[in-house]
């Protein structure tokens, strides 16, 4: 518990953690507001304008995917900050050396680090999904779909998607010990020029990528013609997350700091 | 060595040699070429973008990510390794050092962009039209401008995570969203650049896009110059 407390404190003192928090809580609700207002206007006037679809079923849930920008920053920062060099005034060392000196048991340290990330990311994901759906329903006004039991499970799945992607980002960063590649990959994948979407245009195998696999669990429409069933997609996402975390744990245990 | 002894040309030469000695810069160059080729193959198999130069106008949107990473890396590695202190001892004129860095970033981005887009075109099996060479040339220039904006932001922000996140948000994530949801899209650098890429034949309609792009490059460069000249290294 003391190691977890220390790791949570460390995470909370990183400026990038607060940038990640602001991005996760800011981007999806803002997009949901803008898109909801456009959709509301389109449905009221009957003029779709340049909108791709006027079906409000995915409104709010679709914007949750952009929360990946902040979640990726959080997952990457949680571990890459350990390997970044400090300023020369404090010896150009790396935080990881101090960390393993303070807590020599690597499994405990890794578990505490993962638990700290999980606590932060789970809270952030839940809050982001809630804010996004509330903003979306408020902007849609009378056009918002009635809230059903299915929507509860979609909301939980959307929050879990963000949490699992934080684990994937964390695991990938721990493997390469550098935040640049995972950060570029995940932020780009959260955009409209996503590499996953591009892969989906070229091969059916793209549906096994973590983001495309998870979409059917909370989105009614999917960019691929034959996506995985929702439950299988969730399982694939879990396999990706657990795979990366286990590989990262093994490497963290065996490699020199 | 006095300030007057270091000319801009020699500063550029030193910066170029420094960049070439960074193994990761070769890694980013290779990555850009590979990404361009793979993206072109993927786009060519899709009916939406098939044909020439259709593929070439879409490849830069993906390749730009690697250009941004490379440009940010070139600048921020100076600060993470504290190389900047030694650089300033060698070239005490801050304006000259920054100009040299900008020239190297631009040269790397445009050169790598041309090679990557050339290979992308070859990989797409598109027909060879008269509009292919201008599309490759324009694509390279577009990538260089995006790299320059990312580098300028990095000079201002100095940290790897914050610079990369800001540059990717501004140049990759936000523009298509802002363009789809508001009327302000054309004022963002990527959308303005994409408008220029859409037609290789210069027209009066492209002037506002060119002007917007120029304003972004100038504004971020002024920000970078101010920060570099006034802040401690």
């Amino acid at each position: 518990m003391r190691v977890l407390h220390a790791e949570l404190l460390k995470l909370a003192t990183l400026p990038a953690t607060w940038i990640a928090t602001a991005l996760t809580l800011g981007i999806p609700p803002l997009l949901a507001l803008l898109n909801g207002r456009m959709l509301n206007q389109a449905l009221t006037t009957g003029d779709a304008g340049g909108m791709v679809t006027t079906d409000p079923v995915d409104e709010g849930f679709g914007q949750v995917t952009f929360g990946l920008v902040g979640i990726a920053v959080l997952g990457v920062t949680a571990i890459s900050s350990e390997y970044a060099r400090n300023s020369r005034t404090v010896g150009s060392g790396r935080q990881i050396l101090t960390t393993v000196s303070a807590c020599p048991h690597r499994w405990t340290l890794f578990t505490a680090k993962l638990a700290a990330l999980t606590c932060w990311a789970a809270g952030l994901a839940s809050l982001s999904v809630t804010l996004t759906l509330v903003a979306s329903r408020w902007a849609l006004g009378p056009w918002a779909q009635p809230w059903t039991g299915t929507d509860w499970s979609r909301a939980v799945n959307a929050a879990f998607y963000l949490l699992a992607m934080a684990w994937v980002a964390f695991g990938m960063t721990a493997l390469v010990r550098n935040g640049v590649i995972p950060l570029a990959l995940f932020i780009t994948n959260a955009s409209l020029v996503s590499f996953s979407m591009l892969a989906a245009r070229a091969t059916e195998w793209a549906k096994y990528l973590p983001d495309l696999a998870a979409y059917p669990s909370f989105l009614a429409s999917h960019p691929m013609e034959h996506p995985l069933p929702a439950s299988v997609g969730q399982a694939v996402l879990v396999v990706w997350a657990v795979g990366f975390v286990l590989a990262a744990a093994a490497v963290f245990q065996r490699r020199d700091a | 060595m006095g300030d007057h002894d270091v000319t801009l040309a020699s500063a550029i030469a030193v910066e170029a040699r420094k960049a070439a000695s960074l193994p990761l810069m070769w890694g980013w160059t290779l990555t850009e070429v590979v990404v361009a080729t793979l993206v072109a193959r993927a786009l060519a198999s899709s009916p939406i973008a098939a044909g020439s130069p259709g593929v070439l106008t879409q490849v830069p949107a993906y390749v730009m990510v690697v250009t941004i990473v490379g440009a940010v890396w070139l600048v921020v590695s100076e600060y993470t390794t504290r190389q900047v202190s030694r650089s300033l001892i060698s070239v005490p004129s801050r304006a000259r050092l920054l100009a040299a860095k900008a020239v190297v970033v631009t040269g790397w981005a445009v050169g790598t962009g041309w090679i990557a887009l050339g290979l992308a075109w070859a990989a797409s099996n598109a027909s060879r039209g008269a509009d292919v060479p201008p599309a490759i040339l324009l694509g390279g220039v577009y990538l260089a401008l995006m790299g320059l904006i990312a580098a300028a932001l990095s000079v201002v922000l100095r940290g790897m995570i914050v610079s990369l996140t800001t540059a990717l948000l501004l140049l990759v994530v936000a523009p298509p969203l802002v363009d789809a949801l508001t009327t302000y899209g054309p004022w963002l650098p990527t959308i303005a650049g994409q408008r220029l890429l859409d037609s290789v034949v210069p027209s009066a309609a492209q002037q506002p896009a060119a002007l917007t792009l120029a304003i972004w490059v100038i504004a971020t460069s002024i920000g970078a110059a101010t920060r570099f000249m006034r802040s401690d290294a």
Side-chain angles (χ1 to χ4, degrees):
Chain A
M1 282 309 286
R2 283 171 61 191
V3 184
L4 173 62
H5 184 238
E7 286 300 326
L8 269 172
L9 266 181
K10 208 195 289 177
L11 197 61
T13 53
L14 288 171
T17 301
W18 294 101
I19 293 174
T21 304
L23 291 174
T24 314
L25 297 181
I27 295 176
L30 181 67
L31 292 176
L33 264 182
L34 289 171
N35 206 52
R37 276 180 57 186
M38 269 180 77
L39 196 54
N40 187 339
Q41 200 171 7
L43 290 168
T44 306
T45 60
D47 177 16
M51 295 193 81
V52 179
T53 176
T54 51
D55 187 352
V57 68
D58 275 339
E59 186 54 27
F61 291 101
Q63 285 74 34
V64 165
T65 58
F66 294 98
L68 180 58
V69 175
I71 281 290
V73 174
L74 180 69
V76 166
T77 311
I79 187 81
S80 71
S81 61
E82 291 281 355
Y83 296 101
R85 291 212 173 271
N86 293 321
S87 76
R88 205 166 48 173
T89 51
V90 288
S92 301
R94 292 170 304 142
Q95 176 69 41
I96 187 73
L97 300 176
T98 314
T99 306
V100 291
S101 303
C103 177
H105 196 269
R106 298 239 181 147
W107 277 116
T108 309
L109 179 59
F110 188 85
T111 310
K113 222 170 235 314
L114 186 66
L117 170 71
T118 304
C119 290
W120 202 288
L124 204 51
S126 312
L127 200 53
S128 176
V129 170
T130 308
L131 285 175
T132 307
L133 293 177
V134 167
S136 152
R137 296 183 74 77
W138 182 76
L140 274 175
W143 301 103
Q145 303 274 298
W147 188 263
T148 63
T150 318
D151 291 323
W152 281 111
S153 65
R154 287 174 76 194
V156 171
N157 289 343
F160 179 73
Y161 160 73
L162 290 178
L163 174 62
M165 292 308 277
W167 288 336
V168 174
F170 174 83
M172 194 186 281
T173 310
L175 282 176
V176 299
R177 288 187 169 192
N178 189 305
V180 175
I181 295 171
L183 202 58
L185 193 65
F186 283 101
I187 292 182
T188 308
N189 254 16
S191 76
L192 296 182
V193 284
S194 152
F195 288 111
S196 295
M197 297 291 190
L198 181 69
R201 286 160 72 169
T203 169
E204 273 291 308
W205 289 99
K207 64 186 172 191
Y208 292 101
L209 290 171
D211 45 359
L212 294 182
Y215 286 169
S217 65
F218 62 95
L219 293 179
S221 58
H222 195 276
M224 295 191 76
E225 208 173 323
H226 305 293
L228 292 172
S231 54
V232 178
Q234 283 282 76
V236 169
L237 177 64
V238 170
V239 168
W240 274 99
V242 171
F244 266 109
V245 167
L246 286 180
V251 163
F252 192 77
Q253 172 77 8
R254 287 162 184 268
R255 240 180 353 198
D256 281 349
Chain B
M1 190 185 281
D3 184 9
H4 58 280
D5 291 328
V6 184
T7 62
L8 179 61
S10 53
I12 292 170
V14 168
E15 283 299 319
R17 210 172 306 151
K18 204 197 296 175
S21 67
L22 288 171
L24 259 175
M25 283 318 293
W26 292 100
W28 299 133
T29 306
L30 188 65
T31 307
E32 183 163 330
V33 170
V34 172
V35 167
T37 311
L38 291 177
V39 167
R41 295 287 299 171
L43 286 172
S45 64
S46 153
I48 303 166
S52 164
V55 168
L56 285 178
T57 58
Q58 293 197 40
V59 171
Y62 294 92
V63 174
M64 181 172 67
V65 176
V66 189
T67 307
I68 290 169
V69 171
V72 169
W73 186 273
L74 256 178
V75 173
V76 175
S77 62
E78 286 272 348
Y79 292 99
T80 52
T81 58
R82 301 307 304 155
Q83 175 71 33
V84 66
S85 308
R86 282 173 291 239
S87 300
L88 283 169
I89 293 169
S90 308
V91 185
S93 164
R94 294 200 174 198
R96 219 167 286 170
L97 182 60
L98 191 63
K101 189 65 97 181
V103 169
V104 170
V105 168
T106 309
W108 171 78
V110 82
T112 310
W114 283 337
I115 293 167
L117 293 178
L119 289 173
W121 170 74
S124 69
N125 293 324
S127 57
R128 183 175 179 170
D131 45 3
V132 169
I136 292 176
L137 283 177
L138 257 180
V141 172
Y142 167 75
L143 290 173
L145 292 177
M146 294 302 124
L148 208 50
I149 292 172
L153 288 172
S154 307
V155 173
V156 174
L157 298 168
R158 296 187 174 184
M160 182 61 77
I161 300 285
V162 70
S163 301
L164 196 55
T165 305
T166 308
L168 288 172
L169 272 178
L170 176 69
L171 300 172
V172 179
V173 179
L177 291 172
V178 174
D179 197 38
L181 298 174
T182 71
T183 53
Y184 301 112
W187 298 103
L188 290 173
T190 316
I191 301 294
Q194 198 64 47
R195 297 264 154 95
L196 292 178
L197 286 182
D198 285 343
S199 170
V200 291
V201 183
S203 68
Q206 288 177 320
Q207 281 176 4
L211 189 65
T212 303
L213 205 49
I215 289 171
W216 271 99
V217 172
I218 292 167
T220 49
S221 300
I222 289 173
T226 309
R227 169 84 153 132
F228 196 66
M229 308 288 265
R230 289 173 182 256
S231 299
D232 282 347

